[in-house]
Amino acid sequence: MRGKRILILGGTGEARELAAQLLEAGFDPVTSLAGVTASPRWPVGEIRTGGFGGVGGLCTYIESEGIASIVDATHPFAAQISRHGFEAATRCGIPYLRLERPAWRPEAGDHWTEVHNVAEAAAALPKGARPLVTIGRKDIAAFFARGDLSGVARMIEEPTCAVPEGWIVLRERPPFTLEREFNLLMAHGVTHLVSKNAGGEDTRAKLIAAREKNIPVIMIERPAKPVARIAIAARDVITALGDLLSA
Ligand code: NAP
């Protein structure tokens, strides 16, 4: 196992943690980042940046770099790269496994409306609502296009579309504290929270704040990802790689 080259599909905190643990366990990890964040938090170990050019490009990379396994540690909503990772691993005959945080579940006192996608989330808001929208910049246009809404859109990077009057864009990076989330909801008169079901701890405080303040949540369900072996912690990935690569 020692020295085996592992391709981590990254872009998450879990991927950074995994790179550190794989290095420590004697593997040779290389983390792949999409290159969409201007100043990402860099993982330890080797890094490559930018798309592969689809499944074919990823296969070429796997073969030229002598990759022994793919560990997909991308965000639960990054569906295309997961599909590509799975297909390329299958085509190249190497293991594919996923490191994935469990989804959030509604708790007592929550008022969730669960929807399948961003378009449904935008449509689910009542006329004149003032939401806090925490879905990143890629899909924010669906909310801006609803002329009757105003609110707060939180994201890491600047949106690529124009920001309509009545909207505030907050460029912030998690983690967020409960106090911060309470203040945000109150300061902006937020009536609804719109969230992807990202799971994890870094952005969970907004759900607690919404529950305490009786604010309804529009929760976007995760997209389907390939059926594969799933680990929820870096140490489980190391155990799984041990099994898969010694077989
Ligand atoms: P996506 O829609 O699944 O992927 C779009 C394309 O971007 C892929 O086909 C691939 O291009 C390239 N790509 C994506 N992730 C890559 C990676 N780790 N390494 C190399 N190429 C990658 O992805 P997305 O939703 O735009 O997310 C992009 C990145 O941001 C991911 O790494 C993800 O972990 C991170 N992220 C996403 C979200 C979210 O809500 N979607 C939130 C936080 C972080 P080619 O086809 O050319 O290979």
Side-chain angles (χ1 to χ4, degrees), residues 62-212:
I62 289 168
E63 278 157 12
S64 64
E65 293 291 322
I67 299 296
S69 178
I70 291 182
V71 182
D72 178 1
T74 57
H75 190 271
F77 280 74
Q80 182 165 304
I81 186 64
S82 291
R83 210 165 45 245
H84 288 184
F86 178 79
E87 283 175 25
T90 306
R91 213 185 273 181
C92 296
I94 62 169
Y96 163 97
L97 61 150
R98 207 156 63 240
L99 173 58
E100 189 172 274
R101 35 178 129 134
W104 293 315
R105 302 272 168 238
E107 295 181 19
D110 281 335
H111 305 286
W112 284 18
T113 301
E114 291 179 88
V115 296
H116 295 107
N117 52 48
V118 170
E120 282 185 18
L125 288 165
K127 200 167 168 22
R130 192 164 165 75
L132 166 62
V133 185
T134 60
I135 61 163
R137 72 166 162 174
K138 223 166 98 176
D139 299 306
I140 194 65
F143 296 86
F144 288 173
R146 282 249 334 236
D148 61 307
L149 302 177
S150 62
V152 181
R154 183 163 66 191
M155 56 195 72
I156 294 175
E157 299 288 332
E158 203 66 52
T160 49
C161 56
V163 181
E165 207 178 316
W167 282 90
I168 295 164
V169 169
L170 291 181
R171 284 190 58 196
E172 292 179 336
R173 199 191 280 266
F176 303 112
T177 64
L178 188 54
E179 189 188 7
R180 164 87 188 112
E181 301 299 52
F182 272 131
N183 290 342
L184 185 57
L185 295 180
M186 293 302 102
H188 295 281
V190 168
T191 60
H192 293 75
L193 169 66
V194 180
S195 175
K196 291 175 172 175
N197 197 333
E201 296 309 314
D202 281 4
T203 57
R204 188 195 288 277
K206 64 187 170 188
L207 302 179
I208 301 168
R211 185 182 309 140
E212 302 276 315

